Amino acid sequence: MASFERASPALKEILLRIYRAEKPIEVDHHLYEFGSVEYHIKSSASAPQLTYLSISTPLLTQGVLLSYGLSPYTTQMVREISTDVLEIVEPATEGYQLTLRLDFSKIPRGKDSLKVITEVSSVQSIILSSQLKEMLQSVNSWDASQGMYKPIKLVYHPREPFYVIRQPHKIVAVFPMRFKDYSDVIIATSFFQELMDVGSSEKWAKAPPCNWSPIPPAELRGEPLEDLSTNGGFVSFDISSRHVEGKRLDKTVWSLLNFYAYVKHHVKCTRGFIQRRMRRRLESLVEVLQNSSLEDDRHIRKFQENAGWQYMKKLVKLSSKSKILKRSCRDFTRKIMRIRFRIKIHGFGRFRRRWLTMLKFSSSKGYTKLE
Amino acid sequence: MANTLRLYLTCIRNTLEAAMCLQNFPCQEVERHNKPEVELKTSPELLLNPVLICRNEAEKCLIETSINSLRISLKVKQADELENILTKKFLRFLSMRAEAFQVLRRKPVQGYDISFLITNYHCEEMQKQKLIDFIVQFMEDIDKEISELKMSVNTRGRLVATEFLKQFV
């Protein structure tokens, strides 16, 4: 169960495409989903209204149940999805546990069509939850003469079994938690402690009491050691009759079946959150260091710029006055020279500028000569 | 609590101000090589006495100085398992990106969580006071970040637990 939605998104899309097709189309899809779920959808152009849907899903094994396939309760729950549209084909296609014949002509038009197709797409979740529902529905019918019940081991995923133990007036669901990484164990453990804290508060008194312990609970004594060796401890929920009344039964069953996936999803999201936060913090820490190294340069540059600008400002302010002064001096000297030097040599000025001016000292390294 | 932290950081700051007197010193053993002597530790005459400043058993700072380099190693407090993994993850994350920090060492000294290596070149490029401010600020920021991370993880856990239990009600 990769997603927490009951309806398979891929199956829903294919069924909608077949339903909405304007012309009859040939369809023969094999669909594989996470959790070893396999679908086979077949529709032929010669009979466009009929579509065959075969499902293969790992059942909650209990030893006895598996050998007889789906229980009558499960087949009844599947029929109740839509009695008009859906019909169970006996026997099922080879390699599959269940084959359904869907009659699209009987699907009501409009918005209801989407609802019906969504319910058909959730057939796998209905099969899975019906088995657990059967067990939980008998919470009130516990017989005192039977004594202590042996824990029932339910295996959806080969490495993630969980136990259901019947007790007077309640059923206890125990989840042994295992994680690959040590940091996952710590994150999950903090989550379980929060779950216990929240569950024990008055506001959530109606929710099933939750308990976490690092060691196996007493009810699981006698179970094989390989099933009881965990690194994440054991989480148990006490399901009472209040949690299985009416519509709550469906929600309770779905929540219990998805508990492992829920925890793993939370751990994965937390790791992603930590990573994102570390990256953001890195940027801010590096910025501090960069500012510390560049700050002085900026100050010096600013000072120089400011000094240059102020100098320029001063120059601009004075230039008009100095220009006028210079111009008037130049004119005056020229007048004097004209009066004094009546003999003019053409080109002497150029000669003087080229050969008679003092050379300025310059260095490639930009040193200024000290006097 | 805040007082002891202030005293601890002030002590580290004063020690760094005294220790960060670095100068260029070419390697005595290999020609045309210039190595941080605090890392090699081949010439005892070039090394100063290391200073260990402990705030408590869990938090300490080791400052090792030589003529041309200075190594600062920090041990950050870790109160529980969650803080332990958060500290390890975060400091490893920073160490792997040591080139962004220039003065950070890729691998911490054994027995410590994170290490800095400051050479005379760093002192030439950056201001000494700013470097010391950065180290002290880094220590404060790490503590603050770990605490905030821990709080965020617990808050997320609480919200997720609430959402999970809502399905039963």
Side-chain angles (χ1 to χ4, degrees):
Chain A
M1 282 180 218
S3 81
F4 302 118
E5 283 181 23
R6 292 165 193 262
S8 160
L11 178 61
K12 186 174 160 185
E13 194 188 319
I14 293 169
L15 291 176
L16 274 172
R17 198 154 36 98
I18 297 170
Y19 175 68
R20 287 172 183 166
E22 289 169 357
K23 294 177 192 174
I25 50 171
E26 286 278 341
V27 172
D28 193 354
H29 273 301
H30 282 269
L31 197 58
Y32 297 90
E33 279 193 347
F34 184 79
S36 308
V37 180
E38 190 184 339
Y39 297 101
H40 180 210
I41 307 120
K42 201 166 180 183
S43 171
S44 76
S46 56
Q49 300 304 321
L50 296 176
T51 300
Y52 290 88
L53 171 66
S54 302
I55 303 131
S56 167
T57 175
L59 301 173
L60 295 176
T61 55
Q62 264 201 90
V64 176
L65 250 183
L66 185 60
S67 58
Y68 292 107
L70 299 177
S71 69
Y73 181 77
T74 304
T75 49
Q76 180 57 31
M77 293 301 295
V78 170
R79 271 196 202 97
E80 280 176 13
I81 294 171
S82 180
T83 46
D84 298 331
V85 175
L86 200 140
E87 194 187 326
I88 295 176
V89 174
E90 301 272 358
T93 312
E94 197 181 335
Y96 296 91
Q97 283 138 346
L98 185 70
T99 301
L100 305 173
R101 181 166 47 226
L102 307 172
D103 189 353
F104 284 140
S105 62
K106 293 195 178 151
I107 292 178
R109 295 283 155 189
K111 288 179 187 175
D112 288 339
S113 61
L114 184 65
K115 192 180 165 192
V116 169
I117 288 173
T118 306
E119 279 170 11
V120 169
S121 308
S122 58
V123 63
Q124 191 257 346
S125 64
I126 289 168
I127 292 170
L128 221 56
S129 52
S130 64
Q131 294 166 57
L132 191 53
K133 270 184 200 173
E134 246 182 308
M135 280 180 241
L136 292 181
Q137 270 175 337
S138 60
V139 68
N140 281 327
S141 62
W142 182 75
D143 190 351
S145 65
Q146 293 196 20
M148 282 297 292
Y149 273 88
K150 198 173 180 284
I152 303 164
K153 183 178 170 182
L154 303 175
V155 180
Y156 172 56
H157 193 275
R159 281 170 291 184
E160 292 173 354
F162 64 100
Y163 294 89
V164 168
I165 304 137
R166 285 185 200 170
Q167 285 186 354
H169 304 298
K170 69 175 179 181
I171 283 179
V172 180
V174 181
F175 295 87
M177 305 303 299
R178 288 181 191 89
F179 299 93
K180 282 182 189 170
D181 203 13
Y182 178 67
S183 56
D184 289 354
V185 172
I186 303 299
I187 294 169
T189 308
S190 73
F191 168 65
F192 298 144
Q193 279 162 354
E194 292 296 331
L195 192 62
M196 275 202 307
D197 283 342
V198 171
S200 61
S201 63
E202 277 180 26
K203 191 182 169 191
W204 299 99
K206 288 183 182 175
C210 167
N211 190 33
W212 176 79
S213 75
I215 56 170
E219 295 93 349
L220 294 183
R221 267 181 213 158
E223 291 300 313
L225 194 65
E226 60 198 16
D227 291 336
L228 299 183
S229 53
T230 64
N231 57 6
F234 295 81
V235 179
S236 52
F237 290 95
D238 295 343
I239 312 292
S240 61
S241 56
R242 181 174 50 198
H243 305 117
V244 297
E245 281 167 3
K247 286 182 182 176
R248 283 197 199 131
L249 174 65
D250 203 32
K251 282 186 186 175
T252 302
V253 160
W254 189 243
S255 303
L256 290 176
L257 284 174
N258 276 308
F259 183 68
Y260 277 121
Y262 202 83
V263 171
K264 294 212 166 148
H265 185 67
H266 165 65
V267 167
K268 194 176 170 186
C269 289
T270 305
R271 285 171 72 116
F273 165 75
I274 292 169
Q275 194 76 7
R276 278 194 307 274
R277 201 168 157 135
M278 287 194 301
R279 249 186 229 124
R280 243 182 293 142
R281 204 69 184 98
L282 170 75
E283 286 168 12
S284 61
L285 285 171
V286 167
E287 204 183 315
V288 170
L289 188 65
Q290 281 173 352
N291 285 345
S292 72
S293 61
L294 290 172
E295 212 173 321
D296 264 1
D297 289 346
R298 271 197 223 133
H299 277 315
I300 290 166
R301 264 186 234 147
K302 254 192 179 174
F303 176 74
Q304 283 176 346
E305 279 169 12
N306 282 344
W309 181 75
Q310 280 168 5
Y311 180 64
M312 282 303 295
K313 210 175 156 184
K314 279 182 197 169
L315 270 180
V316 165
K317 271 186 186 171
L318 291 171
S319 67
S320 53
K321 284 183 189 171
S322 65
K323 264 188 189 170
I324 294 165
L325 257 169
K326 271 189 185 171
R327 222 179 284 141
S328 55
C329 281
R330 211 183 301 139
D331 292 341
F332 184 71
T333 46
R334 271 185 195 161
K335 271 184 188 170
I336 300 285
M337 281 165 76
R338 257 188 238 132
I339 294 162
R340 277 193 177 178
F341 300 103
R342 294 216 180 261
I343 302 168
K344 265 188 186 178
I345 303 170
H346 290 288
F348 183 74
R350 209 183 296 163
F351 176 80
R352 180 174 58 79
R353 278 193 296 274
R354 196 172 171 190
W355 298 104
L356 298 180
T357 50
M358 288 294 291
L359 288 169
K360 281 186 188 167
F361 176 78
S362 64
S363 164
S364 59
K365 292 195 178 176
Y367 294 134
T368 48
K369 188 184 174 187
L370 296 171
E371 298 295 334
Chain B
M1 185 81 164
N3 281 338
T4 57
L5 177 65
R6 282 286 123 217
L7 288 170
Y8 177 58
L9 293 175
T10 308
C11 183
I12 290 172
R13 181 185 285 276
N14 293 340
T15 311
L16 285 175
E17 276 174 7
M20 209 179 284
C21 299
L22 309 175
Q23 64 183 56
N24 187 27
F25 193 87
C27 182
Q28 292 184 133
E29 285 152 17
V30 183
E31 265 187 29
R32 302 175 78 173
H33 276 216
N34 199 320
K35 300 170 187 176
E37 294 295 334
V38 76
E39 293 285 346
L40 295 178
K41 294 191 165 124
T42 48
S43 308
E45 68 275 12
L46 303 175
L47 304 174
L48 277 74
N49 290 328
V51 176
L52 180 65
I53 303 162
C54 298
R55 188 183 173 192
N56 48 46
E57 286 169 8
E59 277 185 87
K60 52 186 178 179
C61 172
L62 177 66
I63 300 172
E64 299 160 283
T65 322
S66 69
I67 187 160
N68 63 355
S69 49
L70 166 70
R71 190 163 70 184
I72 307 152
S73 306
L74 303 170
K75 181 107 182 96
V76 180
K77 75 161 164 67
Q78 291 148 41
D80 54 20
E81 287 294 330
L82 183 59
E83 273 191 20
N84 191 357
I85 60 148
L86 289 174
T87 307
K88 270 195 186 138
K89 272 185 178 293
F90 187 42
L91 294 179
R92 191 168 181 272
F93 181 86
L94 294 180
S95 300
M96 287 294 117
R97 289 149 184 83
E99 67 277 358
F101 287 95
Q102 299 177 57
V103 296
L104 195 61
R105 207 169 177 259
R106 277 200 182 274
K107 207 174 161 188
V109 167
Q110 202 168 9
Y112 293 85
D113 295 319
I114 194 160
S115 296
F116 295 89
L117 177 68
I118 301 172
T119 63
N120 55 295
Y121 296 112
H122 295 135
C123 292
E124 284 165 21
E125 286 167 17
M126 300 180 233
Q127 272 207 328
K128 175 181 158 179
Q129 276 306 318
K130 298 288 181 191
L131 262 176
I132 295 169
D133 288 344
F134 167 71
I135 302 283
V136 171
Q137 187 65 37
F138 186 90
M139 291 173 68
E140 284 183 0
D141 288 347
I142 289 289
D143 276 342
K144 199 171 109 186
E145 185 61 25
I146 301 293
S147 304
E148 280 176 10
L149 262 174
K150 183 182 171 182
M151 216 175 328
S152 302
V153 167
N154 286 335
T155 307
R156 281 177 66 92
R158 186 164 277 266
L159 286 170
V160 169
T162 308
E163 284 304 312
F164 181 74
L165 291 176
K166 263 187 198 172
Q167 296 170 73
F168 293 99
V169 174

Short mmCIF file of all heavy atoms in Angstrom, two decimals, chain A residues 22 51 57 61 63 73 122 125 155 175 183 218 243 295-297 325 331 333 353 364 366:
data_model
loop_
_atom_site.label_atom_id
_atom_site.label_comp_id
_atom_site.label_asym_id
_atom_site.label_seq_id
_atom_site.Cartn_x
_atom_site.Cartn_y
_atom_site.Cartn_z
N GLU A 22 -15.15 7.31 -26.72
CA GLU A 22 -16.26 7.54 -27.66
C GLU A 22 -16.45 6.33 -28.56
O GLU A 22 -17.56 5.98 -28.92
CB GLU A 22 -15.97 8.78 -28.51
CG GLU A 22 -16.09 10.06 -27.69
CD GLU A 22 -15.56 11.27 -28.43
OE1 GLU A 22 -15.06 11.14 -29.55
OE2 GLU A 22 -15.64 12.37 -27.84
N THR A 51 -16.36 -5.12 -19.28
CA THR A 51 -14.92 -5.09 -19.00
C THR A 51 -14.66 -6.12 -17.90
O THR A 51 -15.42 -6.22 -16.93
CB THR A 51 -14.49 -3.68 -18.52
OG1 THR A 51 -14.78 -2.74 -19.54
CG2 THR A 51 -13.01 -3.63 -18.18
N THR A 57 -4.02 -10.32 -4.96
CA THR A 57 -3.47 -9.55 -3.85
C THR A 57 -3.07 -10.48 -2.72
O THR A 57 -3.76 -11.47 -2.47
CB THR A 57 -4.49 -8.50 -3.35
OG1 THR A 57 -3.97 -7.84 -2.21
CG2 THR A 57 -5.82 -9.12 -2.96
N THR A 61 -2.68 -13.56 5.79
CA THR A 61 -2.60 -15.01 5.96
C THR A 61 -2.90 -15.41 7.39
O THR A 61 -2.47 -14.77 8.34
CB THR A 61 -1.20 -15.51 5.61
OG1 THR A 61 -0.26 -14.80 6.39
CG2 THR A 61 -0.91 -15.30 4.15
N GLY A 63 -3.13 -19.00 7.73
CA GLY A 63 -2.97 -20.45 7.59
C GLY A 63 -4.21 -21.06 6.98
O GLY A 63 -4.25 -21.41 5.82
N TYR A 73 -17.72 -13.81 3.40
CA TYR A 73 -17.91 -12.43 3.86
C TYR A 73 -17.22 -11.47 2.91
O TYR A 73 -17.77 -10.41 2.55
CB TYR A 73 -17.36 -12.28 5.29
CG TYR A 73 -17.52 -10.91 5.87
CD1 TYR A 73 -18.75 -10.46 6.35
CD2 TYR A 73 -16.44 -10.03 5.95
CE1 TYR A 73 -18.91 -9.19 6.87
CE2 TYR A 73 -16.59 -8.76 6.47
CZ TYR A 73 -17.81 -8.35 6.93
OH TYR A 73 -17.96 -7.08 7.44
N SER A 122 -11.39 0.57 -5.68
CA SER A 122 -10.93 0.30 -4.31
C SER A 122 -11.23 -1.14 -3.90
O SER A 122 -11.29 -1.45 -2.72
CB SER A 122 -11.57 1.28 -3.34
OG SER A 122 -12.97 1.20 -3.42
N SER A 125 -8.62 -2.85 -1.53
CA SER A 125 -8.67 -2.44 -0.13
C SER A 125 -9.88 -3.06 0.56
O SER A 125 -9.82 -3.40 1.75
CB SER A 125 -8.72 -0.91 -0.02
OG SER A 125 -9.90 -0.42 -0.59
N VAL A 155 -0.35 -11.42 8.25
CA VAL A 155 0.82 -11.01 7.47
C VAL A 155 0.34 -10.39 6.17
O VAL A 155 -0.14 -11.08 5.29
CB VAL A 155 1.74 -12.21 7.17
CG1 VAL A 155 2.95 -11.74 6.36
CG2 VAL A 155 2.18 -12.89 8.44
N PHE A 175 1.70 -4.28 17.02
CA PHE A 175 2.55 -4.11 15.84
C PHE A 175 4.01 -4.15 16.27
O PHE A 175 4.48 -3.22 16.91
CB PHE A 175 2.27 -2.75 15.18
CG PHE A 175 0.89 -2.62 14.62
CD1 PHE A 175 -0.16 -2.18 15.41
CD2 PHE A 175 0.63 -2.92 13.29
CE1 PHE A 175 -1.44 -2.06 14.90
CE2 PHE A 175 -0.65 -2.80 12.77
CZ PHE A 175 -1.68 -2.37 13.57
N SER A 183 18.74 5.81 13.04
CA SER A 183 18.10 7.12 13.19
C SER A 183 16.59 7.01 12.96
O SER A 183 15.81 7.73 13.59
CB SER A 183 18.71 8.15 12.24
OG SER A 183 18.64 7.70 10.92
N ALA A 218 3.04 -9.12 27.24
CA ALA A 218 2.81 -10.45 27.84
C ALA A 218 1.95 -11.34 26.96
O ALA A 218 2.10 -12.56 26.94
CB ALA A 218 2.16 -10.28 29.21
N HIS A 243 -15.29 1.30 18.80
CA HIS A 243 -14.52 1.62 17.60
C HIS A 243 -14.92 0.80 16.38
O HIS A 243 -14.39 1.02 15.29
CB HIS A 243 -13.01 1.40 17.87
CG HIS A 243 -12.52 2.17 19.04
ND1 HIS A 243 -12.03 1.54 20.18
CD2 HIS A 243 -12.48 3.48 19.30
CE1 HIS A 243 -11.69 2.47 21.06
NE2 HIS A 243 -11.97 3.64 20.56
N GLU A 295 33.56 42.18 4.73
CA GLU A 295 33.04 43.40 5.33
C GLU A 295 34.06 44.52 5.29
O GLU A 295 33.76 45.64 4.94
CB GLU A 295 32.64 43.12 6.78
CG GLU A 295 31.48 43.97 7.24
CD GLU A 295 30.99 43.54 8.60
OE1 GLU A 295 30.95 42.34 8.89
OE2 GLU A 295 30.73 44.43 9.39
N ASP A 296 35.31 44.20 5.67
CA ASP A 296 36.34 45.23 5.68
C ASP A 296 36.61 45.75 4.29
O ASP A 296 36.78 46.93 4.09
CB ASP A 296 37.62 44.67 6.28
CG ASP A 296 37.69 45.04 7.75
OD1 ASP A 296 36.75 45.68 8.23
OD2 ASP A 296 38.69 44.69 8.38
N ASP A 297 36.68 44.83 3.32
CA ASP A 297 36.92 45.26 1.93
C ASP A 297 35.85 46.24 1.53
O ASP A 297 36.13 47.24 0.87
CB ASP A 297 36.89 44.06 0.99
CG ASP A 297 38.11 43.19 1.19
OD1 ASP A 297 39.03 43.67 1.85
OD2 ASP A 297 38.12 42.05 0.69
N LEU A 325 39.29 81.75 -13.14
CA LEU A 325 40.58 82.35 -12.75
C LEU A 325 41.66 81.99 -13.75
O LEU A 325 42.43 82.87 -14.19
CB LEU A 325 40.98 81.80 -11.37
CG LEU A 325 40.77 82.72 -10.18
CD1 LEU A 325 40.96 81.95 -8.90
CD2 LEU A 325 41.68 83.94 -10.23
N ASP A 331 44.65 84.54 -20.31
CA ASP A 331 44.44 85.68 -21.23
C ASP A 331 45.44 86.80 -20.93
O ASP A 331 46.01 87.43 -21.83
CB ASP A 331 43.01 86.20 -21.11
CG ASP A 331 42.00 85.19 -21.64
OD1 ASP A 331 42.42 84.29 -22.41
OD2 ASP A 331 40.80 85.29 -21.27
N THR A 333 48.41 86.55 -19.40
CA THR A 333 49.79 86.20 -19.79
C THR A 333 49.95 86.29 -21.31
O THR A 333 51.00 86.73 -21.81
CB THR A 333 50.19 84.78 -19.32
OG1 THR A 333 49.14 83.89 -19.62
CG2 THR A 333 50.45 84.76 -17.84
N ARG A 353 57.03 72.04 -26.45
CA ARG A 353 56.24 71.03 -25.75
C ARG A 353 56.86 69.65 -25.88
O ARG A 353 56.85 68.84 -24.94
CB ARG A 353 54.80 70.99 -26.29
CG ARG A 353 53.89 72.06 -25.68
CD ARG A 353 52.44 71.76 -26.02
NE ARG A 353 52.17 71.82 -27.44
CZ ARG A 353 51.86 72.94 -28.10
NH1 ARG A 353 51.79 74.10 -27.47
NH2 ARG A 353 51.63 72.91 -29.39
N SER A 364 56.21 50.81 -13.41
CA SER A 364 55.17 49.81 -13.75
C SER A 364 54.42 49.34 -12.51
O SER A 364 53.29 48.91 -12.57
CB SER A 364 55.82 48.61 -14.45
OG SER A 364 56.78 48.05 -13.59
N GLY A 366 53.63 51.24 -10.06
CA GLY A 366 52.79 52.30 -9.50
C GLY A 366 53.35 52.91 -8.25
O GLY A 366 52.62 53.45 -7.43
#
